[in-house]
Amino acid sequence: EEPASPITPGMSYNFTDEELFEFRKKSETGDAESSRKLFLFYNFAVRDRIKAAEWLEKAAEQGSPDAQYGLAYEFSYHGSPRYDLEKAKYWALKAAQNGQTQARRLLQEIKEREEHGDSSNRARHEPAYDTTMDSSAHAKQSASRPTTAATTP
């Protein structure tokens, strides 16, 4: 069974200029959640995968369990230009240690692939970009402000 995505249809990732300014400012001081929100903005609203990947990695390095899981998921996906099972294991373990429950399933999947000699990593899922948002956290954030944002299909 696939690891479930915490992304739900209709979530909004557009932020106001003021919010983006605050996220960048907070990110510079090590705020992982702000970096993760910038990842979401660049990935879904702007659709700039390069900047999105940079913010995802920064958020993971700053300690965001959801970003760590997202990065692990990306590294475990065969179609990703960043495919690397060792890095996938590293980030999935970090995410699991930080309480990201889906990371344990991903670690198990990676272990099973390795045990069965599946070095091709023919994953049955899509890239990580759609997996790093905690639905309840986003729902709380979205409820606090109106938006006419870009949404996932």
Side-chain angles (χ1 to χ4, degrees):
E1 186 175 317
E2 302 288 324
S5 172
I7 298 293
T8 60
M11 287 184 157
S12 169
Y13 301 103
N14 270 352
F15 298 106
T16 66
D17 289 341
E18 293 82 18
E19 288 172 315
L20 292 170
F21 176 80
E22 285 300 314
F23 295 154
R24 284 185 185 96
K25 189 171 147 185
K26 288 179 180 180
S27 175
E28 290 173 12
T29 65
D31 184 65
E33 184 60 18
S34 292
S35 296
R36 193 172 69 85
K37 287 177 181 177
L38 287 164
F39 153 73
L40 293 168
F41 171 74
Y42 281 105
N43 191 61
F44 295 108
V46 177
R47 301 213 179 259
D48 181 334
R49 298 267 180 167
I50 303 297
K51 285 193 183 235
E54 291 170 6
W55 285 110
L56 178 63
E57 194 158 340
K58 184 170 187 168
E61 289 169 354
Q62 290 172 325
S64 166
D66 287 334
Q68 291 167 342
Y69 168 73
L71 201 52
Y73 199 92
E74 179 180 343
F75 282 129
S76 74
Y77 175 64
H78 188 292
S80 171
R82 300 174 71 180
Y83 167 73
D84 183 325
L85 274 186
E86 287 305 311
K87 287 182 180 180
K89 279 194 300 191
Y90 172 82
W91 286 111
L93 182 59
K94 286 276 233 196
Q97 290 170 339
N98 286 315
Q100 214 295 342
T101 57
Q102 295 172 338
R104 294 186 194 285
R105 288 180 69 191
L106 183 56
L107 275 170
Q108 183 62 36
E109 182 182 319
I110 292 167
K111 181 180 176 184
E112 288 171 7
R113 283 191 230 154
E114 290 177 330
E115 287 174 357
H116 293 85
D118 186 4
S119 60
S120 68
N121 189 29
R122 295 183 198 277
R124 297 173 307 272
H125 48 72
E126 294 300 317
Y129 298 109
D130 295 338
T131 63
T132 58
M133 185 66 179
D134 174 71
S135 299
S136 61
H138 186 73
K140 289 177 194 170
Q141 173 214 11
S142 293
S144 68
R145 64 174 170 71
T147 184
T148 57
T151 58
T152 57

